[in-house]
Amino acid sequence: MTGETAESTGFTADDFLGGRLSVVQPRKGHRSGIEAVLIAAMAPLKPGETLIDIGSGVGVAGLCALCRVPETRAVLVEADPATAGLARDNLKRNGFGGRAGVVVADVTVRGAVRRAGLTAAADHAVANPPFYDPASSRTSPAKATAHAAPDADLDAWLRFAAAAVKPGGSLTLVHRAAALATVLDVFGKRFGGAVVLPVHPRPGEAATRIVVQGRKGSRAPLAILPGLVLHGARGHGFRADVEAVLRQGAAFELSS
C-alpha cells in the first residue's frame, strides 16, 4: 500500500525512527505513537533473542525492536483480525516478514498462550494495554477496543506475558500514571524486580505515563527511577535524549 493509496482509503503511512520504518495505520481511532517506540527501546533485547509484542496493534513496537536490534525475531499478538492483517502487511512492507509473525489471540482469555503455541516462546515482552477504564472515562467507539478496558483486565495481560516469556525473561509495559498502584499490585503477582519510570510531558509537570519493567522469577526490590521528561521547558520539541530514541532508534536502558 503506497502512501497515496493509504491516504485515499482511510489509512495513513507514517514514518517512525526517522524514516527507517513506514507503518500503515487507520486515520481514525487508536493510532500508535511514541509510547510504542519507547517500550521497544526499553526492552533489554539482544541479538538472537525473541520479543513478543502483546496487543501489538499495527505492529509499531515490534517493528521498532526488529529495526533496532539485528538478528532478532518477534511475535506480534493482536486480538482484532483486521488490525492483525495490517500488522502482517507492515512487517512485509518493512522487510521483516522473515523475522516475525502475527498471531490473532485475545490475551484476556485463559489458555490463550497455550492454544497459540506461545508458552515460554519469548525472551522478552512489551505491552501497551488499554489505558482507560470505560466505567470512568468517555471513549469514542473507534478507540474503545484499543484504548479502554477495565483495570481488572490488566491481570489477564500479565498472566499472558508471564506464560509467554522464558524464566528470567522481562516484561516492559506502559500505562497511565494514575494506575500505578494497580500496575504494581498486578506486577507483583507475576514479575519481580519492578523498575518504574515516570514519564513527564515537560519539566515541572506531573507524570502522565509510567513505564514498568520486571523479570520473571526476580526477587529484586522495587525501584523508582528519576522521571523521563519528553519536552523542553520552551516550545514543543523533544529533548535530545528522547529525540535519539524516537528518531535515531537509540536504546533506553532501564536500570536502578
Side-chain angles (χ1 to χ4, degrees), residues 177-201:
L180 177 60
T182 299
V183 172
L184 290 180
D185 179 62
V186 176
F187 244 82
K189 299 175 184 177
R190 307 187 188 281
F191 291 88
V195 177
V196 179
L197 176 71
V199 181
H200 305 260

Side-chain angles (χ1 to χ4, degrees), residues 85-163:
L86 280 175
R88 289 191 187 93
D89 291 344
N90 283 325
L91 288 172
K92 295 176 183 177
R93 179 185 182 88
N94 290 280
F96 293 121
R99 288 173 54 193
V102 179
V103 173
V104 178
D106 183 349
V107 304
T108 66
V109 176
R110 285 190 176 273
V113 172
R114 174 180 49 79
R115 286 192 292 273
L118 296 175
T119 303
D123 299 281
H124 307 285
V126 294
N128 184 359
F131 280 168
Y132 300 106
D133 189 328
S136 60
S137 65
R138 295 181 178 179
T139 308
S140 68
K143 295 184 178 182
T145 300
H147 227 62
D151 282 339
D153 281 358
L154 185 61
D155 184 67
W157 280 65
L158 268 72
R159 181 179 66 232
F160 186 99

